[in-house]
């Protein structure tokens, strides 16, 4: 074959791909290449990664791909991971390189064998193959009835446009070793092009890499930005007078250029965080105004990133995670104007800029950019930086990646993205949490149960659950893999916290039975964790029998407004008899309990409920009109949503009275009468009929998908007429990025700063509520302010990580004492 023929065979445009065949109707005479999967057949998925030796950017993508397809099997050339938590307990099938001499430390030296090795991994039993590739993973062998989708971090850099840089750094520019290296790289390039034809669909981590894919493989790629742990950073609006750069100190990062530039600007301070082979070289160039801290733990990096005036970035990266992390702190970026930074930073030519670029990788360009930044610093708003960073969240990545794969595989069209459950290993749980028996009285998914569900998801390897009633809550718990036992509460089901007689007869027998059954299970654990008031009573008695400490997670304000006199007396008695510690969901709850029981204040801790942002973030790209259509709500009306069970003290009637006063709005009531409160729902519906509000009040009843309902409305109201212990719906409204109006009482005051992240109204005042909602409807600037600040409040103060860590710490402390 002559040179021209060889070149044409290697570089010809890709023929019609298998992905096209899946998404286009074939001509009548064409026979389908793939046998369609039966609807009842499980789709088998394999995930292929280059090598598993560390947890870096490519592995963070792999972690989220596994979260999208948790049942998939995993393949890799080698697996030498020590910290393997991100694999979520998966085993890995490896290649023959795993067993070669010195493979752990010298695996890169086996580059010439990697094409052969990846082809020996057998994935023929799978319907879908997903490769995560920056080297050879995309070369996995697949058949005509398999769909192969490849997420490409980059075509093999050192074989393509960075070959000469690679040879120089490896000192392979001359001599026999250089000739051999060039021959190997030539062979790999040919192999790389050939194997690209077996990929049905390419995904790139940036438009920059998409252009590389087009240049090398002559194929188009869908851009899906890699995930960044945006939630690990919080918005900081107060900036100090210093600049920051942070990176591993290797040549292409150009930290030396940044240090040289600032050394020539002695009036400006630079802080450098990072370590690496160029550390001494960089230290030698640093002036008195440059402070090189070396390697620092994440906490220190985050602190400096939050306070910095700007983050300086001089590398040409495919994406550049640190650039997004800086913006997540509200810190603008001064970056080299090539590579991924052009896609993650909005410069001054765009609305709401988050940074600016310099054109050359030299000191003069950096100096000029920093000087311009100083002159224009007031153009960069921290909240805009944070907002820009949020589009790169892990939740957003999972949503887009899953949708892309589902669209490419007909058999997955009916599949839904599985809920994200943080993975906790048995070793981690054993180190941090004692064996725990969680007790709850309800089978219904109320606020207390949703909060317990977050605890169970994180600590499921060290926790088992006892319920006194069956229902959707048991189903949700079972999906986490935790052990759940449902005990028959018998006549005790009729006992309400608002009052009634003490249990007698059959109810007393039920009480004794529950105590014995709970105590039996408690003997196998270290601590009883009671999640509700009735569960606390059973837990306190069972703790005495089993000789186990009892922790009550108090989620109520124990006052005559919420509890009957006899129930309050029981709470006081249990506090003296059998409670070791109390976790209150707000200071208001803690104060009421302390006043009632005179309980030792040192044994009461406040831990705010934690609420995950991911179900809300997953809906960020879904049009509101789509959600309203799904819920059969009017498209053009200003909708005000109430999210709570229908109960008089929850105050839905106040919202309806405000609707009478304000004819320009609609009310959406999400919730049902759960605990014998059916009469109240009848009264609400009668009020609607009497005032001819039927066209403007929408009863949606109980809904499983609260995030979708919240994102469908324009404002969220909280109308409790008696003090609320916490106000979960308020935080959920903030996460849905909707302005929140709430009653000024109880735990609500610990969440909302009036007219900053929400608006407060007097409890039960329909006129004030109507006026506030009218102001929100007409004042877009106020709505935007409340949404922006509310979202940051929800992320920074009420995240699930802080919540779970707080509860785990207290459980451990109680057992140790």
């Amino acid at each position: 074959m002559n040179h021209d023929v060889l070149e044409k065979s290697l570089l010809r445009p890709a023929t019609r791909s298998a992905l096209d065949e899946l998404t286009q109707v074939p001509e009548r005479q064409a026979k389908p290449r793939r046998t369609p999967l039966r609807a009842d057949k499980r789709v088998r998925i394999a995930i292929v990664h280059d090598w598993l030796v560390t947890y870096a950017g490519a592995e963070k993508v792999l972690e989220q791909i596994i979260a999208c397809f948790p049942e998939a099997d995993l393949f890799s050339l080698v697996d030498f991971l020590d910290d393997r938590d991100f694999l979520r307990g998966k085993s890995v099938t490896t290649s023959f390189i795993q067993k070669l001499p010195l493979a752990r430390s010298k695996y890169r030296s086996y580059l010439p064998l990697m094409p052969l090795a990846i082809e020996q991994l057998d994935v023929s039993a799978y319907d879908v193959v997903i490769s995560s590739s920056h080297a050879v993973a995309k070369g996995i062998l697949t058949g005509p009835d398999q769909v192969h989708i490849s997420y490409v971090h980059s075509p093999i850099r050192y074989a393509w446009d960075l070959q000469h840089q690679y040879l120089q750094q490896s000192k392979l520019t001359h001599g026999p070793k250089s000739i051999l290296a060039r021959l190997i790289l030539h062979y790999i390039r040919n192999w790389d092009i050939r194997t690209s034809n077996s990929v049905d669909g390419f995904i790139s981590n940036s438009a920059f890499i998409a252009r590389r894919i087009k240049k090398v493989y002559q194929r188009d790629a869908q851009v899906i930005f890699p995930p960044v742990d945006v939630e690990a950073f919080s918005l900081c609006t107060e900036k100090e007078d210093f600049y920051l750069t942070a990176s591993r100190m290797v040549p292409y990062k150009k930290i030396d250029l940044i240090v040289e530039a600032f050394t020539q600007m002695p009036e400006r301070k630079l802080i450098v965080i990072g370590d690496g082979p160029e550390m001494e070289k960089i230290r030698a160039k640093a002036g008195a105004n440059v402070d090189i801290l070396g390697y620092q733990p994440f906490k220190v990096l985050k602190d400096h990133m939050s306070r910095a005036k700007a983050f300086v970035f001089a590398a040409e990266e495919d994406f550049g995670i640190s650039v997004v992390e800086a913006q997540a702190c509200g810190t603008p970026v001064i970056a080299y104007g090539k590579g991924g930074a052009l896609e993650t930073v909005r410069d001054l030519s765009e609305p709401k800029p988050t940074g600016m670029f310099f054109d050359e990788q030299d000191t003069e360009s950096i100096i000029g950019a920093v000087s311009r930044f100083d002159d224009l610093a007031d153009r960069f708003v921290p909240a805009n930086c944070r907002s820009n960073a949020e589009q790169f969240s892990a939740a957003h990545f999972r949503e887009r990646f899953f949708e892309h794969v589902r669209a490419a595989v007909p058999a997955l069209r009916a599949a839904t993205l599985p809920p994200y459950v943080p993975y906790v290993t048995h070793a981690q749980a054993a180190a941090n949490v004692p064996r725990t028996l969680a007790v709850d009285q309800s089978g219904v998914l109320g606020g207390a149960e949703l909060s317990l569900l977050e605890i169970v998801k994180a600590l499921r390897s060290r926790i088992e659950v006892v319920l006194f009633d069956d229902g959707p809550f048991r189903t949700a718990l079972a999906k986490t893999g935790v052990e759940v036992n449902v005990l028959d509460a018998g006549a005790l089901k009729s006992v309400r916290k608002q009052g009634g007689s003490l249990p007698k007869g059959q109810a007393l027998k039920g009480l004794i039975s529950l105590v014995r059954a709970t105590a039996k299970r408690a003997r196998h654990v270290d601590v009883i964790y009671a999640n509700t008031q009735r569960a606390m009573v059973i837990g306190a008695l069972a703790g005495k029998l089993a000789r186990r400490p009892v922790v009550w997670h108090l989620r109520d304000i124990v006052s005559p407004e919420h509890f009957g006199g006899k129930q309050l007396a029981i709470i006081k008695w249990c506090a003296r008899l059998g409670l070791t510690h109390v976790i209150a969901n707000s200071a208001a709850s803690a104060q009421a309990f302390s006043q009632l029981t005179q309980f030792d204040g040192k044994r009461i801790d406040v831990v705010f409920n934690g609420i995950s942002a991911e179900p809300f973030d997953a809906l960020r790209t879904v049009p509101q009109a789509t959600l309203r259509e799904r819920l059969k709500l009017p498209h053009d009306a200003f909708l005000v949503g109430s999210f709570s069970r229908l109960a008089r003290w929850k105050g839905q009637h106040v919202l309806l009275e405000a609707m009478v006063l304000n004819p320009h709005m609609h009310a959406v009531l999400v919730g049902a009468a759960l605990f014998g409160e059916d009469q109240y729902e009848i009264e609400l519906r009668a009020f609607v009929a009497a005032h001819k509000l039927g066209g403007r009040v929408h009863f949606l009843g109980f809904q499983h998908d609260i995030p979708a309902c919240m994102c469908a409305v324009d404002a969220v109201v909280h109308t409790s007429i008696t003090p609320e212990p916490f106000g979960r719906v308020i935080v959920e409204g903030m996460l849905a990025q909707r302005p929140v109006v709430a009653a000024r009482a109880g735990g609500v005051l610990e969440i909302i700063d009036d007219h900053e992240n929400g608006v407060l109204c007097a409890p039960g005042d329909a006129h004030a509520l109507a006026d506030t909602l009218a102001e929100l409807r007409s004042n877009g600037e106020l709505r935007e302010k409340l949404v922006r600040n509310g979202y940051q409040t929800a992320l920074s103060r009420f995240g699930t990580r802080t919540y779970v860590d707080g509860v785990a710490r207290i459980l451990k402390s109680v057992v140790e004492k």
Side-chain angles (χ1 to χ4, degrees):
M1 182 182 292
N2 62 37
H3 177 75
D4 290 341
V5 174
L6 176 63
E7 183 177 56
K8 289 178 182 177
S9 68
L10 289 174
L11 300 180
R12 68 177 182 271
T15 57
R16 183 170 178 255
S17 73
L19 182 62
D20 291 332
E21 294 182 17
L22 286 170
T23 55
Q24 295 181 15
V25 178
E27 297 177 7
R28 185 170 298 175
Q29 68 272 22
K31 295 182 179 180
R33 286 171 53 194
R34 289 198 174 88
T35 303
L37 292 171
R38 300 192 313 269
D40 62 345
K41 184 179 179 183
R42 184 175 71 89
V43 179
R44 297 160 300 179
I45 301 176
I47 301 172
V48 185
H49 191 66
D50 288 304
W51 49 74
L52 292 166
V53 295
T54 188
Y55 180 63
E59 287 68 40
K60 290 177 180 178
V61 171
L62 174 64
E63 178 180 20
Q64 300 304 325
I65 293 175
I66 292 172
C68 289
F69 303 100
E71 301 301 318
D73 292 328
L74 185 56
F75 296 78
S76 180
L77 290 175
V78 296
D79 174 16
F80 295 118
L81 286 171
D82 295 317
D83 181 3
R84 12 187 358 96
D85 295 352
F86 73 96
L87 298 183
R88 307 177 78 85
K90 284 189 177 296
S91 59
V92 181
T93 302
T94 57
S95 74
F96 64 81
I97 294 178
Q98 178 83 16
K99 298 180 180 180
L100 294 180
L102 302 176
R104 175 179 282 272
S105 58
K106 302 290 186 181
Y107 65 93
R108 290 178 186 271
S109 300
Y110 291 111
L111 175 65
L113 296 178
M114 286 183 181
L116 174 64
I118 203 72
E119 291 175 345
Q120 305 316 303
L121 292 176
D122 183 5
V123 296
S124 59
Y126 297 88
D127 306 299
V128 179
V129 176
I130 299 171
S131 58
S132 165
S133 183
H134 56 81
V136 298
K138 75 154 189 35
I140 191 81
L141 297 180
T142 55
D145 292 329
Q146 294 174 290
V147 180
H148 180 189
I149 297 171
S150 186
Y151 188 99
V152 176
H153 308 276
S154 177
I156 311 175
R157 295 179 182 88
Y158 32 84
W160 291 99
D161 51 319
L162 298 184
Q163 172 188 289
H164 300 294
Q165 181 179 330
Y166 165 72
L167 292 173
Q168 289 172 357
Q169 291 175 355
S170 303
K171 299 180 180 179
L172 292 172
T173 54
H174 300 91
K177 288 185 178 180
S178 173
I179 295 174
L180 179 61
R182 293 173 192 273
L183 286 172
I184 291 171
L185 293 175
H186 177 72
Y187 151 70
I188 286 177
R189 281 193 293 274
N190 290 343
W191 176 87
D192 197 29
I193 292 174
R194 176 177 60 79
T195 57
S196 70
N197 292 322
S198 67
V199 176
D200 297 316
F202 280 103
I203 304 172
S204 66
N205 66 1
S206 64
F208 178 65
I209 292 302
R211 292 195 297 274
R212 265 189 181 160
I213 290 171
K214 185 70 173 179
K215 182 83 171 181
V216 173
Y217 305 142
Q218 294 297 296
R219 297 284 297 279
D220 294 324
Q222 173 70 46
V223 176
I224 300 179
F225 294 118
V228 180
D229 189 6
V230 174
E231 286 192 12
F233 300 84
S234 53
L235 175 65
C236 178
T237 57
E238 299 298 322
K239 303 300 179 182
E240 300 179 16
D241 192 19
F242 70 87
Y243 294 82
L244 175 72
T245 189
S247 170
R248 179 161 169 75
M249 294 184 180
V250 292
Y252 87 95
K253 294 289 188 178
K254 305 297 182 184
I255 302 297
D256 56 331
L257 290 180
I258 299 173
V259 169
E260 285 179 25
F262 274 85
T263 298
Q264 296 178 40
M265 298 183 287
E267 72 282 6
R268 297 184 174 97
K269 182 178 180 180
L270 173 70
I271 292 178
V272 182
I273 293 178
D275 202 348
E278 293 214 320
M279 168 66 88
E280 294 309 314
K281 170 187 171 183
I282 290 170
R283 281 193 186 278
K285 295 183 176 182
N289 62 320
V290 177
D291 192 0
I292 299 179
L293 303 185
Y295 168 80
Q296 294 295 325
F298 174 74
K299 183 178 180 180
V300 175
L301 171 63
K302 176 182 173 182
D303 175 61
H304 283 82
M305 202 171 261
S306 297
R307 294 185 290 113
K309 188 175 184 178
F311 183 79
V312 187
F313 186 79
E316 180 182 346
E317 289 275 24
D318 302 334
F319 180 71
I321 287 177
S322 61
V323 169
V324 178
E325 291 174 337
Q327 292 175 83
C329 298
T331 301
V333 175
I334 303 171
Y336 176 46
K338 286 193 72 176
L342 292 173
E343 300 166 60
T344 58
V345 178
R346 294 198 298 249
D347 69 5
L348 290 166
S349 66
E350 300 184 57
K352 300 181 180 180
T354 65
M356 57 192 303
F357 301 113
F358 52 92
D359 297 329
E360 302 293 338
Q361 286 178 310
D362 56 39
T363 56
E364 290 78 11
S365 291
I366 296 172
I367 291 170
V370 172
S371 298
R372 290 196 305 277
F373 178 86
D374 272 350
D375 294 337
L376 302 169
D378 58 346
R379 294 280 305 278
F380 304 101
V381 179
N384 292 340
C385 295
R386 172 74 190 191
S387 177
N388 186 50
E390 284 163 359
Q391 67 178 308
F392 305 103
S393 70
H396 191 62
F397 172 87
R398 288 194 299 275
E399 178 190 350
R400 290 200 63 200
F401 186 85
F402 185 86
E403 287 300 321
H404 183 88
V405 174
R406 185 170 68 172
V409 182
L412 290 175
R413 296 283 165 83
T416 57
L417 177 65
Y420 181 73
V421 179
Y423 181 74
V424 180
T425 66
H426 289 275
Q428 288 174 313
N432 295 309
V433 183
R435 293 170 300 168
T436 302
L437 179 68
V439 187
D440 193 288
Q441 67 199 38
S442 180
V444 176
L445 273 169
E449 287 68 39
L450 289 170
S451 294
L452 176 57
L453 188 60
E454 293 297 337
I455 297 292
V456 171
K457 286 177 181 178
L459 310 180
R460 62 186 179 276
S461 62
R462 296 290 282 179
I463 198 167
E464 59 181 276
V465 181
V466 165
L467 302 180
F468 301 158
D469 199 5
D470 203 351
F473 185 35
R474 180 195 58 77
T475 304
L477 288 168
K479 287 181 180 178
T480 71
V482 73
E483 181 182 345
V484 184
N485 292 284
V486 179
L487 307 180
D488 184 10
L492 280 179
K493 292 180 182 178
S494 63
V495 178
R496 300 287 175 225
K497 70 181 183 180
Q498 284 79 10
S501 61
L502 292 172
K504 297 177 182 177
Q506 290 299 111
L508 186 59
K509 288 183 181 180
L511 174 67
I512 295 171
S513 176
L514 283 180
V515 170
R516 286 177 174 171
T518 304
K520 181 179 179 180
R521 286 165 174 79
R523 291 189 178 99
H524 304 291
V525 301
D526 300 309
V527 60
I528 298 173
Y529 172 62
N531 191 55
T532 49
Q533 185 259 338
R534 199 184 314 159
M536 180 275 293
V537 176
I538 303 298
L541 294 171
K544 280 296 180 184
L545 284 179
R547 297 182 180 181
R548 294 294 185 270
V550 179
V551 176
W552 182 21
H553 203 134
L554 173 62
R555 305 183 188 277
D556 290 296
I557 293 180
V558 287
S559 68
E561 295 169 299
H562 292 271
F563 289 82
K566 293 173 182 177
Q567 279 66 32
L568 292 174
I570 292 173
I571 291 171
K572 291 174 67 174
W573 179 74
C574 288
R576 293 176 185 142
L577 172 72
L579 288 185
T580 310
H581 206 95
V582 171
I583 303 172
N585 64 352
S586 67
S589 297
Q591 182 179 5
F593 177 79
S594 180
Q595 289 175 348
L596 173 71
T597 63
Q598 304 304 306
F599 201 74
D600 182 2
K602 294 179 181 178
R603 293 192 286 148
I604 304 174
D605 279 294
V606 174
V607 178
F608 292 124
N609 289 343
I611 301 164
S612 173
E614 295 198 12
F616 299 90
D617 290 341
L619 293 166
R620 203 68 65 219
T621 59
V622 180
Q624 190 181 65
T626 301
L627 298 175
R628 292 188 175 188
E629 180 71 27
R630 184 191 307 171
L631 297 167
K632 296 181 171 53
L633 294 172
H635 284 203
D636 301 325
F638 188 87
L639 301 183
V640 179
S642 170
F643 300 83
S644 171
R645 75 174 194 265
L646 301 182
R648 189 173 303 281
W649 79 274
K650 290 290 187 180
Q652 283 90 353
H653 61 278
V654 180
L655 175 57
L656 297 186
E657 291 168 8
M659 288 298 112
V660 175
L661 299 169
N662 197 329
H664 302 294
M665 298 183 188
H666 288 229
V668 179
L669 303 186
V670 178
L674 298 180
F675 304 118
E677 292 154 328
D678 303 83
Q679 181 58 39
Y680 181 66
E681 180 176 359
I682 293 172
E683 292 175 16
L684 293 177
R685 291 185 180 274
F687 183 94
V688 169
H691 291 83
K692 297 182 172 54
L693 297 175
R696 294 199 293 122
V697 177
H698 312 275
F699 288 88
L700 298 190
F702 177 81
Q703 294 284 331
H704 288 282
D705 195 352
I706 295 299
C709 295
M710 282 194 170
C711 291
V713 303
D714 297 294
V716 172
V717 295
H718 170 276
T719 54
S720 296
I721 58 176
T722 57
E724 184 83 47
F726 176 70
R728 178 186 180 92
V729 68
I730 296 170
V731 179
E732 290 177 328
M734 291 173 169
L735 290 172
Q737 297 192 15
R738 297 296 179 263
V740 178
V741 181
R744 186 187 285 108
V748 172
L749 300 177
E750 299 166 54
I751 304 173
I752 288 185
D753 296 320
D754 195 17
H755 278 80
E756 289 297 324
N757 57 4
V759 181
L760 296 173
C761 289
D765 190 338
H767 286 271
L769 180 60
D771 291 344
T772 299
L773 292 174
E775 181 185 12
L776 277 183
R777 181 174 177 268
S778 61
N779 191 339
E781 186 176 343
L782 175 61
R783 291 199 307 271
E784 185 176 339
K785 173 186 175 183
L786 298 179
V787 165
R788 181 177 65 248
N789 294 341
Y791 186 68
Q792 293 309 317
T793 297
L795 290 179
S796 61
R797 297 182 58 203
F798 305 105
T800 55
R801 183 177 303 177
T802 302
Y803 169 62
V804 170
D805 287 349
V807 172
R809 172 181 51 80
I810 293 167
L811 293 175
K812 182 179 180 183
S813 174
V814 166
V815 170
E816 288 175 347
K817 289 178 181 178

